[in-house]
Amino acid sequence: QVQLQESGPGLVKPSETLSLTCTVSGGFMSTYNWSWIRQSPGRGLEFIGNINYIRLTDFNPSLKSRVTMSVDTSRNQFFLLLSSVTAADTAVYFCARQVYGVYIFDVWGQGILVSVSS
Amino acid sequence: DIQMTQSPSTLSASVGDRVTISCRASQSISGWLAWYQQQPGKAPKLLISEASNLRSGVPSRFSGSGSGTEFTLTITSLQTDDFASYYCQQYNSFPWTFGQGTTVEVK
């Protein structure tokens, strides 16, 4: 069965770029969207954006100016870059699989806490 | 963005109780609503899609109903594993948005 695992730094300095990787195991990346969602006490669950295997992306307009996503299907990985971070970007970041055309999140990674602090 | 509002924020219940959680959308989302369960320190788990479609492997004590702007998640005969937080998510209009959550705690 498909499993997702986030990885990356747990601490990022203000104004720098947050960089996370999600590794997909046990399945193929085609026919799904691959998403990033974050959770914080202040904002709750917030959809960040998604990418598919042909690199088409959709980003939440609230974050669009700061978000970059990419995918490497040969390594079964997809990536999140969030630039110019502030303390408000401190959150648990989840990667998730999104059913194409239905837009529900049926498989999630365990999440990674990223803190923004100097 | 479509705002999703859940009530109550916290619900105290006992094993065996029937529990109902409400989710209201700021505009009609037809039946494009999902429910998730989240245990502390874990990722959300998809329970229900299309407002009432129970996902494979989810116990039948969970059920969902509603359409338009008003939705309900019901747990009949609450079990120990069900003490958790529950979130609704709309997928009618981009960006996809979640409710703020309802925590079911031990009474």
Side-chain angles (χ1 to χ4, degrees), chain A residues 20-96:
Chain A
L20 294 176
T21 298
C22 183
T23 301
V24 180
S25 60
F28 298 103
M29 296 192 73
S30 58
T31 73
Y32 293 98
N33 287 332
W34 301 94
S35 304
W36 290 97
I37 297 160
R38 66 183 183 181
Q39 185 174 32
S40 62
R43 285 197 162 97
L45 285 163
E46 181 179 29
F47 170 78
I48 299 171
N50 59 34
I51 188 168
N52 67 14
Y53 73 105
I54 55 172
R55 299 172 175 78
L56 293 177
T57 57
D58 281 310
F59 300 141
N60 191 324
S62 67
L63 296 166
K64 188 173 184 176
S65 63
R66 299 194 291 131
V67 172
T68 304
M69 290 186 185
S70 57
V71 61
D72 184 342
T73 54
S74 67
R75 298 170 65 181
N76 266 21
Q77 293 180 322
F78 62 105
F79 311 94
L80 169 69
L81 294 176
L82 181 65
S83 64
S84 304
V85 298
T86 70
D89 295 309
T90 294
V92 175
Y93 286 75
F94 295 100
C95 58

Side-chain angles (χ1 to χ4, degrees), chain A residues 37 39 45-47 50 58-61 94 98-99 102-106 108-111, chain B residues 1 32 34 36 38 41-46 49-50 55 87 89 91 94-96 98-99:
Chain A
I37 297 160
Q39 185 174 32
L45 285 163
E46 181 179 29
F47 170 78
N50 59 34
D58 281 310
F59 300 141
N60 191 324
F94 295 100
Q98 187 184 54
V99 179
V102 182
Y103 309 116
I104 55 177
F105 304 99
D106 67 338
W108 296 62
Q110 65 184 26
Chain B
D1 297 6
W32 304 117
Y36 300 83
Q38 187 178 31
K42 302 290 187 182
K45 172 189 173 184
L46 179 64
S49 58
E50 291 92 67
R55 303 296 293 185
Y87 296 89
Q89 177 229 331
Y91 50 103
F94 190 83
W96 326 123
F98 295 84

Side-chain angles (χ1 to χ4, degrees), chain B residues 17-98:
Chain B
D17 284 354
R18 177 186 176 94
V19 164
T20 299
I21 298 169
S22 296
C23 177
R24 174 177 292 177
S26 60
Q27 64 189 74
S28 177
I29 58 171
S30 187
W32 304 117
L33 183 100
W35 288 98
Y36 300 83
Q37 177 194 64
Q38 187 178 31
Q39 300 287 356
K42 302 290 187 182
K45 172 189 173 184
L46 179 64
L47 297 178
I48 288 170
S49 58
E50 291 92 67
S52 61
N53 181 16
L54 202 66
R55 303 296 293 185
S56 175
V58 176
S60 59
R61 63 181 180 272
F62 290 91
S63 64
S65 63
S67 66
T69 62
E70 301 285 344
F71 300 87
T72 299
L73 173 69
T74 300
I75 311 171
T76 58
S77 189
L78 195 69
Q79 300 301 302
T80 303
D81 287 347
D82 303 337
F83 292 101
S85 294
Y86 295 85
Y87 296 89
C88 59
Q89 177 229 331
Q90 68 82 20
Y91 50 103
N92 181 77
S93 301
F94 190 83
W96 326 123
T97 50
F98 295 84

Side-chain angles (χ1 to χ4, degrees), chain A residues 1-18:
Chain A
Q1 85 192 36
V2 174
Q3 293 185 313
L4 308 182
Q5 178 69 59
E6 304 88 351
S7 59
L11 181 63
V12 182
K13 290 182 168 55
S15 81
E16 295 190 345
T17 296
L18 178 159

